[in-house]
């Protein structure tokens, strides 16, 4: 240990533990190696014990701390012994040995004096906070914090404020907690306590999360993560904090994986049993929200057992809450479960838990299922009080309780008011997000409110209102003003690195190189970094304008137009048919049958796409089966005039062109009626050209791009390598003056060049291979000369192209997320202002695609809409659909 510097004052080693942990460890070991006396050796052992406790092996920590206590007694210093006993007490509590830990802390309090006593009281408060004894913890802190400030002990006074902030959070006082965390951060800034300073940032992230400000929480937790990585100090409580934020953002499955990863890391480090119990509780909550009640029940039961053994009643009761919620989710509504839920609500009230409303809601739901309306009313009324205070998510839960009360009482106006108020709150909360992914995912929090309203209106036979409420919570992320990512050089750099990595990965895979595995891992890391930066973008906080209303639909459709909006209510598919100013409802059948037929048709079309002459009889049979499942009796009413189909997200991948009633009809598909109205109202740019893009390795793309370019008066020639594409404008005697034509191909179709060219253009046609990423839809991409063009790239456009044609396979594929939302290339562009898109929902027959695309553009040249032009161009193709209204 000759390279480590031993401080002149041995107490400085303890001060270094949370400031410069690695340096502290070296100095402590050097002190032991130098043969210091028992007092100094006690300090060194204590420092090593703290480092093991916080960042490593808890058993090793307890061994070191027991030696430190023995050495302090040898030194004959009661203050030194009390200080180490307090550290040991915390470690024992964290190891689950609660009785021994509290006894050590009580002994330390009785033996300490002055500033040491204040520090010991602070530690006992920390143990009591871990155990959920919040009022007892505040009692210790009321004595410790003033004493530490009077003594001028800045570091420990700041730590006391930090702990008080956590206790206040547990008791529901968010503003007080945030004030304590901010004050502590300012105090740490005056010291050299680098680790504590980063912890203060983390704590502010926790406070922002509890206040409901998720973008700020994600930003602060990312900052803390970067700080801990620089210090080389892994923090498992940061894992827990991130899990909680991911859950609130609707990323339940991701939160579960994050918690499980933390549990694996904790097992490798042989870390704190208290932290294991807390991570298990988070994993249980994540599993419950991910619709996996069996896993939730298993994790919650283990967490509750651990909490009980650690004498942590506050935590044990919260684990019981998840356990009972999981039982109910599995359909176990029994009198015994109701009795358990009622006792739980009483106990959480006594413990001062801010989550007591969930227990009341649980008891109320259970009572409703058992037909005990008196008990249900009592508990739902208690849960409904949450609608007036707290973060948006708990207030929305209060409105759900109020809606259930109104439904049980048979009061429809009160029911709809409660559902509307709850959805408005979630909408308000969602407007704080800049990330399109979070905006879509958070809608899941309103599913039950929307379902209650739809069920009531269905039974009441009010079709027009049923349409309005279907629209109220469908594809609503598209109604929020788009947030363009800031000019973030780091984000741009990572996107560029992803493109380079994708090229290297493709080369490695084609050659069977062993490096492909490493490159896959690197790509996953880069994608996670890109996603993390976009998730913390802040939204506008309010709408710029209201979404178009259903009252505008008849005028927009015209005399012969039809809009068919499909909606699933309690597992049954219905069609709301809007025509000639009226709205009629038609029942189709089980939604599960419709989804099954859609998947069957898609699987058959994937095979048929690679046949030179697909069997038309088989296509016809597939079409009739699919039509009966998704449209039922409505099919015969759709042929002829223009038609708009608005499916739920689970049916958006339907090959609509396969349906006999739509095969020769000018129809378009839209995520919602409001999205169709907005697309229809979009104005073409006052000036803007036609952009034709050919990606690499697309067999028929050269002929496709050349033929389309000639239609618009261009030569179809591709630009020289390395030269900027030049716009060519020519006059054509048949149609008069044409828009400029830009062709990007042959190495010139790079991400930067394509984004520049299509920004604000009148029409863009991209003949490039595409990849749909169901696991991460915003990484769905089109393959250009320098790599993938992702949704994250498209979101940087100042103005989306007015019309867009994507001739690659599966380019219209989108992922169903949230309540009834869609994420993918097409929705990203509609959100940014594209009026209409032509894309495929299944693999494309390459030979058939070229003439279809040429005929499509010929129709557009004659002034047809995308739907009309595709109808004329389709022939026997069933792959392409028109999306939007352009």
């Amino acid at each position: 240990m000759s390279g480590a510097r031993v401080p002149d004052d041995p107490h400085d080693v303890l001060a270094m533990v949370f400031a410069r942990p690695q340096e502290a460890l070296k100095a402590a070991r050097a002190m032991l190696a130098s043969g210091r006396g028992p007092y100094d050796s006690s300090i060194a052992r204590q420092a090593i014990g703290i480092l093991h406790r916080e960042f490593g092996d808890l058993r090793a920590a307890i061994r070191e701390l027991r030696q430190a206590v023995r050495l302090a007694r040898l030194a004959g210093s009661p203050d030194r012994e009390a200080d180490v006993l307090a550290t040991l007490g915390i470690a024992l509590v964290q190891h689950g040995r609660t009785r021994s830990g509290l006894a050590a802390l009580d002994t330390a309090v009785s033996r300490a004096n002055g500033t040491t006593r204040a520090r010991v009281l602070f530690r006992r408060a920390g143990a009591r906070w871990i155990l959920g004894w919040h009022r007892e913890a505040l009692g210790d802190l009321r004595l410790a914090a003033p004493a530490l400030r009077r003594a001028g002990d800045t570091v420990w006074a700041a730590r006391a404020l930090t702990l008080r902030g956590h206790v206040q959070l547990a008791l529901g006082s968010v503003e007080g907690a945030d004030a304590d965390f901010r004050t502590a951060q300012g105090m740490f800034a005056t010291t050299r306590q680098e680790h504590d300073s980063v912890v203060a940032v983390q704590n502010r992230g926790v406070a922002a999360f509890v206040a409901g400000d998720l973008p700020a929480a994600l930003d602060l937790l990312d900052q803390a993560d970067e700080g801990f990585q620089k210090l080389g100090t892994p923090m498992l409580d940061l894992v827990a904090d991130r899990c909680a934020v991911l859950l609130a953002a609707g990323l339940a499955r991701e939160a579960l994986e994050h918690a499980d990863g933390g549990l694996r890391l904790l097992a490798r480090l042989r870390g704190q049993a208290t932290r294991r119990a807390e991570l298990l509780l988070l994993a249980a909550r994540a599993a419950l929200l991910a619709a996996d009640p069996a896993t939730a029940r298993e994790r919650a039961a283990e967490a509750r057992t651990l909490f009980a053994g650690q004498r942590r009643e506050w935590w044990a009761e919260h684990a019981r809450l998840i356990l009972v919620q999981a039982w109910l989710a599995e359909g176990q509504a029994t009198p015994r479960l109701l009795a358990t839920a009622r006792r739980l609500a009483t106990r959480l009230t006594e413990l001062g838990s801010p989550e007591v409303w969930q227990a009341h809601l649980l008891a109320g739901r259970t009572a409703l299922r058992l037909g005990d309306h008196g008990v249900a009313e009592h508990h739902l009324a208690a849960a409904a009080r949450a609608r007036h205070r707290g973060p948006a998510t708990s207030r929305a839960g209060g409105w759900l309780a109020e809606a259930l009360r109104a439904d049980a009482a048979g009061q429809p106006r009160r029911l709809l008011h409660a559902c509307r108020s709850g959805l408005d709150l979630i909408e308000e909360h969602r407007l704080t997000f800049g990330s399109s992914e979070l905006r879509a995912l958070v809608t899941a929090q309103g599913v039950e409110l929307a379902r209650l309203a739809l069920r009531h209106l269905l039974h009441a036979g009010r079709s027009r209102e049923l349409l309005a409420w279907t629209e109220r919570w469908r594809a609503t992320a598209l109604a929020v003003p788009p947030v363009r990512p800031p000019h973030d050089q780091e984000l741009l750099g990572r996107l560029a690195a992803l493109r380079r990595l994708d090229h290297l990965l493709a080369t490695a895979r084609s050659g069977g190189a062993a490096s492909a595995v490493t490159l896959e891992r690197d790509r996953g890391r880069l994608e996670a970094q890109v996603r993390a930066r976009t998730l913390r973008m802040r939204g506008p906080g309010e709408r710029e304008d209201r979404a178009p209303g259903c009252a505008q639909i008849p005028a927009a459709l015209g005399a012969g137009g039809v809009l068919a909006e499909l909606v699933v209510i309690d597992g049954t598919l219905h069609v709301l048919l809007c025509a000639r100013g009226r709205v009629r409802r038609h029942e189709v059948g089980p939604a599960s049958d419709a989804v099954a037929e859609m998947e069957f048709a898609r699987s058959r079309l994937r095979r048929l796409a690679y046949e030179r002459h697909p069997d038309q009889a088989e296509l016809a049979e597939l079409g009739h089966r699919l039509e009966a499942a998704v449209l039922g009796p409505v099919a015969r009413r759709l042929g002829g005039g223009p038609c708009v189909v608005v499916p739920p997200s689970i049916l958006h991948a339907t090959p609509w062109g396969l349906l006999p009633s739509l095969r020769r009809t000018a129809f378009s598909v839209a995520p919602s009626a409001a999205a169709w109205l907005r697309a229809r109202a979009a104005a073409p740019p006052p000036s803007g050209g036609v952009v034709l893009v050919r990606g690499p390795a697309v067999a028929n793309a050269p002929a496709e791009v050349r033929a389309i370019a000639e239609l618009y008066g261009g030569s179809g020639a591709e630009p020289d390598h390395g030269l900027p594409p030049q716009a060519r404008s020519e006059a054509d005697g048949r149609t008069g003056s044409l828009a400029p034509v830009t062709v990007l191909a042959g190495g010139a179709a790079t991400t930067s060049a394509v984004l520049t060219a299509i920004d604000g253009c009148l029409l863009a046609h991209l003949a490039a291979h595409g990849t749909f990423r169901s696991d991460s839809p915003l990484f769905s991409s089109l393959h250009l000369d320098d790599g993938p063009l992702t949704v994250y790239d498209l979101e940087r456009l100042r103005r989306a192209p007015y019309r867009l044609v994507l001739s690659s396979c599966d380019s219209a594929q989108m992922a169903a997320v949230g309540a009834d939302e869609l994420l993918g290339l097409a929705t990203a562009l509609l959100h940014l202002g594209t009026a209409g898109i032509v894309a495929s929902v299944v693999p494309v027959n390459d030979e058939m695609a070229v003439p279809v695309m040429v005929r499509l553009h010929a129709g557009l040249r004659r002034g047809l809409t995308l739907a009309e032009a595709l109808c004329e161009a389709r022939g026997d193709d069933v792959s392409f659909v028109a999306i939007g209204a352009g």
Side-chain angles (χ1 to χ4, degrees), residues 399-400 402-404 406-407 411-423 446-473 567-570 576:
W399 280 113
L400 173 59
E402 177 66 11
L404 289 169
D407 190 39
Q411 298 176 335
R413 291 183 63 182
R414 182 177 154 207
L415 165 67
L416 294 178
H417 171 71
C419 292
R420 190 178 297 111
S421 299
L423 293 177
V447 166
E448 192 167 0
L449 286 162
R451 188 183 295 142
L452 280 168
L454 292 176
R455 184 183 297 141
H456 161 71
L457 292 168
L458 172 67
H459 294 154
R462 292 151 64 178
S463 298
R464 192 175 294 273
E465 288 179 72
L466 186 59
L467 173 64
W469 272 89
T470 301
E471 283 288 301
R472 179 70 178 78
W473 213 238
V567 58
V568 178
I569 304 174
D570 293 333
L576 300 171

Side-chain angles (χ1 to χ4, degrees), residues 334-350:
T334 63
R336 183 179 177 184
L337 186 70
L338 176 57
T340 302
R342 297 188 71 183
R343 285 196 301 271
L344 183 59
T346 301
R347 189 67 192 114
L348 288 178
T349 301
E350 293 168 353

Side-chain angles (χ1 to χ4, degrees), residues 25 136 161 169 212 326 344 418 468 474 514 524 528 586 647 706 778 811 867 883:
L25 181 61
E136 293 85 347
L161 283 176
L169 276 183
L344 183 59
R474 170 171 289 181
H586 302 267
R706 184 165 50 249
L778 298 191
S811 49
I883 304 170

Side-chain angles (χ1 to χ4, degrees), residues 36-271:
R36 296 288 186 97
Y39 189 95
D40 289 6
S41 296
S42 171
I43 290 173
R45 293 287 183 192
Q46 183 181 11
I48 294 171
I50 293 171
L51 287 163
H52 277 306
R53 185 190 71 191
E54 295 298 319
F55 313 119
D57 187 338
L58 202 53
R59 290 191 183 93
I62 291 170
R63 285 197 302 271
E64 292 285 348
L65 292 170
R66 289 196 188 281
Q67 289 191 60
V69 171
R70 182 178 58 80
L71 288 164
R73 285 176 186 154
L74 280 175
S77 172
D79 243 26
R80 173 99 286 275
E81 183 183 351
D83 194 68
V84 184
L85 270 174
T87 305
L88 175 62
I90 288 284
L92 289 167
V93 168
Q94 289 175 338
H95 196 242
R97 296 155 70 177
T98 304
R99 193 182 303 275
S100 299
L102 289 174
L105 285 159
D106 290 343
T107 301
V109 170
S110 67
R111 294 184 183 177
N113 292 295
T115 303
T116 301
R117 187 172 189 273
R119 291 180 175 185
V120 171
L121 283 168
F122 157 74
R123 288 163 170 141
R124 189 171 71 177
R128 288 173 164 177
W129 168 64
I130 290 171
L131 295 169
W133 302 358
H134 300 123
R135 289 183 172 80
E136 293 85 347
L138 282 177
D140 279 346
L141 289 170
R142 287 192 189 100
L143 296 173
L148 292 167
R149 283 196 159 182
R150 284 194 302 270
D153 194 341
T154 303
V155 171
W156 284 81
R159 289 173 180 167
L161 283 176
T162 298
L163 179 56
R164 190 174 73 181
H166 282 296
V167 175
Q168 293 201 83
L169 276 183
L171 293 173
S173 178
V174 181
E175 290 183 5
D178 187 56
D180 279 346
F181 293 148
R182 286 178 181 274
T183 303
Q185 185 178 7
M187 293 169 72
F188 284 130
T190 66
T191 72
R192 297 185 65 196
Q193 296 298 117
E194 296 176 30
H195 179 84
D196 282 320
S197 295
V198 179
V199 170
V201 175
Q202 176 188 350
N203 291 333
R204 287 184 52 214
V206 174
F209 155 63
V210 176
D213 190 349
L214 296 195
L218 287 164
D219 189 21
L220 289 162
L221 292 179
D222 283 347
Q223 289 179 40
D225 190 30
E226 290 170 11
F228 289 135
Q229 286 183 25
K230 287 176 184 175
L231 291 171
T233 53
M235 290 294 289
L236 283 162
D237 53 351
L238 183 62
V239 174
D241 294 339
R242 279 182 178 279
C243 285
V245 176
L246 290 171
L247 280 176
L251 298 162
R253 184 58 59 183
E254 194 169 326
L256 178 57
E257 291 170 1
H258 206 61
D260 284 346
L263 286 165
R264 288 191 294 271
L265 175 61
L266 190 67
R268 285 199 305 273
L269 296 174
R270 290 185 291 180

Side-chain angles (χ1 to χ4, degrees), residues 264-593:
R264 288 191 294 271
L265 175 61
L266 190 67
R268 285 199 305 273
L269 296 174
R270 290 185 291 180
Q272 304 165 5
T274 51
R275 178 59 67 201
R276 174 173 175 76
E278 291 161 21
L279 282 172
L280 280 167
L281 179 60
L282 275 168
R285 185 173 286 124
L288 188 65
L289 292 174
D292 186 355
T295 299
R297 181 166 39 80
E298 176 188 317
R299 304 289 167 81
E302 186 179 352
R304 182 168 169 264
T305 300
L306 285 173
F307 286 134
Q310 296 161 5
R311 296 177 62 196
R312 301 171 70 186
E313 186 186 5
W314 190 90
W315 292 91
E317 292 303 320
H318 284 79
R320 188 200 294 267
L321 175 62
I322 302 295
L323 192 58
V324 180
Q325 287 173 325
W327 285 337
L328 186 63
E330 290 180 313
Q332 301 180 33
T334 63
R336 183 179 177 184
L337 186 70
L338 176 57
T340 302
R342 297 188 71 183
R343 285 196 301 271
L344 183 59
T346 301
R347 189 67 192 114
L348 288 178
T349 301
E350 293 168 353
L351 291 169
S353 169
E355 295 182 14
V356 66
W357 68 270
Q358 291 193 38
H360 282 298
L361 181 59
L362 174 64
R365 285 181 193 277
T366 309
L368 282 178
R369 289 197 190 180
L370 295 172
D372 193 335
H373 291 279
V375 171
E377 167 62 22
H378 168 75
H379 285 286
L380 291 174
R385 287 195 285 271
R387 71 191 188 275
H388 299 306
R389 61 184 180 275
T393 48
S394 60
R395 282 184 286 150
W399 280 113
L400 173 59
E402 177 66 11
L404 289 169
R405 290 177 72 199
D407 190 39
Q411 298 176 335
R413 291 183 63 182
R414 182 177 154 207
L415 165 67
L416 294 178
H417 171 71
C419 292
R420 190 178 297 111
S421 299
L423 293 177
D424 284 345
L425 265 174
I426 297 170
E427 176 75 3
E428 175 189 320
H429 175 49
R430 189 177 54 163
L431 286 168
T432 64
F433 300 143
S435 161
S436 54
E437 181 179 3
L438 289 186
R439 287 175 167 184
L441 288 167
V442 79
T443 58
Q445 297 173 2
V447 166
E448 192 167 0
L449 286 162
R451 188 183 295 142
L452 280 168
L454 292 176
R455 184 183 297 141
H456 161 71
L457 292 168
L458 172 67
H459 294 154
R462 292 151 64 178
S463 298
R464 192 175 294 273
E465 288 179 72
L466 186 59
L467 173 64
W469 272 89
T470 301
E471 283 288 301
R472 179 70 178 78
W473 213 238
R474 170 171 289 181
T476 52
L478 300 180
V480 180
V483 175
R484 268 71 176 183
H487 189 71
D488 183 339
Q489 287 298 333
E490 189 171 346
L491 177 61
L492 294 175
R494 285 173 177 165
L495 287 169
L498 264 177
R499 284 189 283 277
R500 290 193 296 273
L501 199 61
D502 190 78
H503 175 72
L504 292 172
L505 184 58
T507 304
R509 282 173 174 165
S510 63
S515 61
V517 175
T518 303
L519 291 170
E520 280 274 17
R521 187 166 57 247
D522 289 345
R523 185 175 72 170
R525 176 181 53 79
L526 271 174
E527 286 183 351
Q529 291 171 353
V530 168
R531 187 162 171 263
R533 291 193 78 82
T534 56
L535 287 181
R536 64 198 202 199
M537 286 194 308
R538 183 170 291 281
E542 58 184 19
R543 281 186 183 276
E544 292 176 357
D545 51 23
R546 301 304 299 176
C550 292
Q552 300 175 33
I553 293 175
L557 286 173
V562 176
L563 183 143
E565 181 136 353
L566 285 65
V567 58
V568 178
I569 304 174
D570 293 333
T572 299
L573 181 65
H574 304 263
V575 178
L576 300 171
L577 194 66
C578 308
R580 293 182 289 278
R582 303 186 67 179
V583 180
R584 289 189 171 90
R585 181 188 64 81
H586 302 267
E587 184 173 322
V588 177
S592 57
D593 290 356

